[in-house]
Amino acid sequence: MPVPTRPLDLVPHRRYNPLLRQWILVSPQRTQRPWQGETSKPAAGKGLAYDPACYLCPGNERSGGARNPAYTGVFAFDNDFPALLSDEPPASEPNPSPLLVAEPERGRCRVLCFHPNHSLTLARMDAAAISAVVDAWAGETAALGGLPYINHVQIFENRGAMMGASNPHPHCQIWATEHVPDEPLRELEAQREYSDKHHRCLLCDYLATEIAQAERMVAENGHFVAVVPYWATWPFETLVLPRRHLGSFTDFSAAERSGFAAILKAVTTRYDNLFAVSFPYSLGFHQRPTDGQAHGSMHFHAHFYPPLLRSAEVRKFMVGFEMFGSPQRDLTPETAAERLRALPQKHYLD
Ligand code: H2U
Ligand code: ZN
């Protein structure tokens, strides 16, 4: 066990998340008991490259009746069961009470397959294949963001059955909406207020602090840095930041797209190696709204929210105090980062 060097490593305290403007309770004294070690067994095998029953594999029929082409790289299509529709909404009805508020919401939902191989994941795809996915994220952002009724493009990957992914085939979803959803809106407002007050970018300043302190660093390259944020909620949560003040996928240079692919591989490989399992997570990107305004204070970033706590089976639940009070964690972000950093960069299945 590393010897705690600061008082806060030993005692309950709360940390402030300046992006969401909320507190998180940290209870490190609960982890002072010795680490019992990993109990789960490594998941065996690399899986099938093609699954005839998969609705995302090349050439297969989807449940909506359409057939996928025999794609060889990335493949995007309109979600057959979209949460939002692009149709012009009917004239809105007046709300019956100021406490019963509804309004129409338009949007487009897409599904993006990362690779034709059914059993690959970002961690096990090669750098060129991941770069092709990053290019597709930029292309989808530009195309959907350019639609007249779209003001925000939310890209996310639910990885693993534990996170509710309906299919192991490597894919993500893209929900482009008329309104900026609440979570990115909160972050956007926090960044705008910080920059109005300090005349600097919140996440540029945060990145400089993390680079100087180094203790929450997980991986880095010439263009991107991945840290367990000081205010992380999930045990092994990470935040991936570009070194340059970029607002959107559409701002990335070719070198930054490759750099982003490389850091995604570095983070996901360490995740898989932590418990020798295909690590579940929700991955999402926060980028500038596409409403035509400048949003100069917005600093692009990726959040990995993984649920696992102690092994492939033991997850963190956001219940009890977290539902009624505020988020809470035992493992400090510094210890989580140290454990991720110490893992080999080579995937356990390779
Ligand atoms: P998830 O694994 O994150 O649920 O994403 C899969 C998406 O694929 C889901 O939104 C869509 C579902 O609506 N889908 C299709 O568009 N066509 C199909 O044939 C099945 C699933
Ligand atoms: Zn498949």
Side-chain angles (χ1 to χ4, degrees):
M1 286 290 292
V3 179
T5 52
R6 297 161 311 177
L8 286 188
D9 289 341
L10 292 170
V11 297
H13 61 278
R14 55 184 205 154
R15 298 188 185 194
Y16 185 63
N17 177 342
L19 268 182
L20 290 176
R21 298 195 276 200
Q22 67 181 22
W23 292 91
I24 164 151
L25 185 61
V26 185
S27 314
Q29 78 287 358
R30 295 173 82 189
T31 57
Q32 291 308 309
R33 60 188 184 273
W35 176 250
Q36 296 295 301
E38 173 48 31
T39 52
S40 56
K41 297 204 170 42
K46 297 187 179 181
L48 293 170
Y50 170 74
D51 176 355
C54 169
Y55 55 74
L56 298 179
C57 271
N60 289 1
E61 191 176 307
R62 299 205 298 271
S63 37
R67 186 170 290 280
N68 297 325
Y71 65 94
T72 55
V74 297
F75 167 57
F77 60 93
D78 283 329
N79 197 312
D80 299 308
F81 308 96
L84 293 149
L85 301 171
S86 54
D87 307 342
E88 189 68 43
S92 52
E93 300 162 20
N95 287 314
S97 149
L99 294 177
L100 302 176
V101 180
E103 62 180 22
E105 177 72 357
R106 281 183 294 173
R108 280 278 295 279
C109 295
R110 311 253 301 152
V111 179
L112 172 70
C113 297
F114 296 163
H115 198 281
N117 186 322
H118 182 79
S119 293
L120 285 186
T121 57
L122 287 178
R124 298 195 46 245
M125 283 164 61
D126 63 34
I130 306 173
S131 284
V133 176
V134 180
D135 291 346
W137 287 333
E140 291 287 327
T141 299
L144 293 166
L147 296 173
Y149 58 92
I150 294 300
N151 292 305
H152 187 265
V153 180
Q154 184 61 56
I155 303 176
F156 59 93
E157 179 192 12
N158 290 322
R159 176 78 220 154
M162 194 179 269
M163 292 312 285
S166 58
N167 186 326
H169 196 110
H171 69 282
C172 72
Q173 294 195 47
I174 306 170
W175 292 24
T177 52
E178 188 170 0
H179 291 91
V180 181
D182 281 353
E183 190 88 353
L185 189 62
R186 282 170 77 185
E187 294 192 355
L188 199 63
E189 285 170 357
Q191 290 175 91
R192 187 186 304 123
E193 281 180 27
Y194 184 95
S195 115
D196 286 348
K197 192 168 166 196
H198 302 283
H199 307 289
R200 292 190 309 269
C201 161
L202 190 162
L203 287 175
C204 285
D205 281 2
Y206 178 61
L207 181 60
T209 308
E210 287 295 2
I211 290 169
Q213 291 208 344
E215 60 183 340
R216 282 171 298 276
M217 195 75 88
V218 172
E220 62 177 314
N221 62 36
H223 298 284
F224 285 86
V225 171
V227 297
V228 177
Y230 184 74
W231 53 80
T233 293
W234 296 96
F236 295 96
E237 176 176 335
T238 52
L239 176 69
V240 182
L241 294 165
R243 291 184 191 270
R244 201 156 69 91
H245 182 75
L246 306 170
S248 161
F249 273 121
T250 55
D251 297 345
F252 285 31
S253 67
E256 282 161 341
R257 290 184 189 192
S258 310
F260 192 53
I263 201 139
L264 291 181
K265 186 172 172 74
V267 172
T268 53
T269 300
R270 285 193 163 85
Y271 275 161
D272 284 8
N273 286 344
L274 183 63
F275 300 131
V277 68
S278 184
F279 204 71
Y281 58 74
S282 232
L283 162 65
F285 309 117
H286 282 147
Q287 50 181 346
R288 185 172 60 230
T290 58
D291 54 6
Q293 292 172 41
H295 298 291
S297 55
M298 174 71 206
H299 192 119
F300 173 95
H301 55 276
H303 296 284
F304 276 98
Y305 296 145
L308 292 182
L309 178 60
R310 258 195 295 281
S311 68
E313 293 84 27
V314 181
R315 61 161 295 168
K316 176 188 175 77
F317 286 97
M318 290 283 205
V319 296
F321 191 80
E322 325 212 294
M323 268 183 174
F324 303 111
S326 80
Q328 186 273 344
R329 64 184 292 133
D330 295 345
L331 182 74
T332 64
E334 293 72 31
T335 305
E338 189 181 303
R339 290 187 55 200
L340 288 171
R341 225 173 24 239
L343 291 164
Q345 185 51 88
K346 187 175 182 307
H347 196 278
Y348 75 94
L349 285 177
D350 292 339

